[in-house]
Amino acid sequence: MIGLLGGRFDPPHNGHVALARAAVEELPIDRLVVLVAERPSHEDAVASAEDRLRMANAAFEGLGEVVLDPHTYTVDAVRGGRFGDAYFIVGADQAAAFPTWKEPDEILRWVQLAVGSRSGHEGAVTFDLDSPDISGTDIRERVARGEPIEDLVPPVVARIIEERGLYR
């Protein structure tokens, strides 16, 4: 069984890492694949796909394989069952928005939704995670204001943001 964790990762933060770690520990998966959306559908990325991929590789090192996903929509990434038996891993916020995604029923035809949450979602597998309340938007705004982010992202991601001058 494969666990898929997809997103913009602009930047990847400790909440994303906690979700990935909890999925690896709590779900019956043999392998985690992190899908970095090259061209996200719901909101434009601020950092380039190359920079987001670099940060994701650093943030998820040791947890799973990180790949750049050329598909704009999740349904296109999973259509045809190209990952075999798989969970698509989301946090509770994305689970709540899942009915608004492009072709959610088609997504569920190919993968099972795994929700990192204490609350149940019909048709979903839930698992517990201990995650801080963080958003990519908050992180980007803090960087733009020159505020520290070391407590919000893995140290290697903070270094990449600083070195590349991202989000300024």
Side-chain angles (χ1 to χ4, degrees):
M1 179 73 84
I2 292 177
L4 302 171
L5 176 61
R8 206 169 29 140
F9 301 112
D10 193 22
H13 53 66
N14 291 339
H16 296 133
V17 175
L19 181 61
R21 186 167 285 121
V24 167
E25 292 171 0
E26 299 291 328
L27 294 173
I29 59 176
D30 305 309
R31 182 171 71 122
L32 177 70
V33 178
V34 178
L35 302 170
V36 178
E38 185 174 8
R39 293 177 312 279
S41 63
H42 60 286
E43 191 176 334
D44 288 337
V46 177
S48 71
E50 177 185 315
D51 285 332
R52 292 181 292 112
L53 182 63
R54 173 188 262 166
M55 289 187 286
N57 270 308
F60 297 107
E61 185 175 3
L63 286 173
E65 175 187 2
V66 178
V67 298
L68 189 61
D69 182 7
H71 301 95
T72 301
Y73 296 98
T74 300
V75 67
D76 298 322
V78 301
R79 194 184 311 272
R82 70 179 211 160
F83 293 102
D85 288 335
Y87 289 114
F88 195 86
I89 302 160
V90 296
D93 58 336
Q94 286 300 312
F98 183 75
T100 68
W101 291 17
K102 182 180 179 186
E103 300 180 56
D105 291 337
E106 182 70 5
I107 294 170
L108 294 177
R109 179 176 173 207
W110 302 109
V111 296
Q112 188 172 5
L113 206 59
V115 181
S117 170
R118 292 188 183 274
S119 61
H121 295 272
E122 189 173 326
V125 172
T126 61
F127 59 97
D128 292 338
L129 75 137
D130 181 21
S131 174
D133 185 21
I134 303 171
S135 79
T137 300
D138 293 339
I139 293 167
R140 290 189 300 274
E141 288 174 355
R142 286 179 84 168
V143 171
R145 291 190 304 260
E147 296 175 4
I149 59 165
E150 286 74 19
D151 58 330
L152 303 176
V153 299
V156 293
V157 171
R159 272 196 308 278
I160 292 169
I161 290 171
E162 180 65 30
E163 289 169 4
R164 305 281 296 167
L166 301 174
Y167 312 119
R168 299 243 177 244

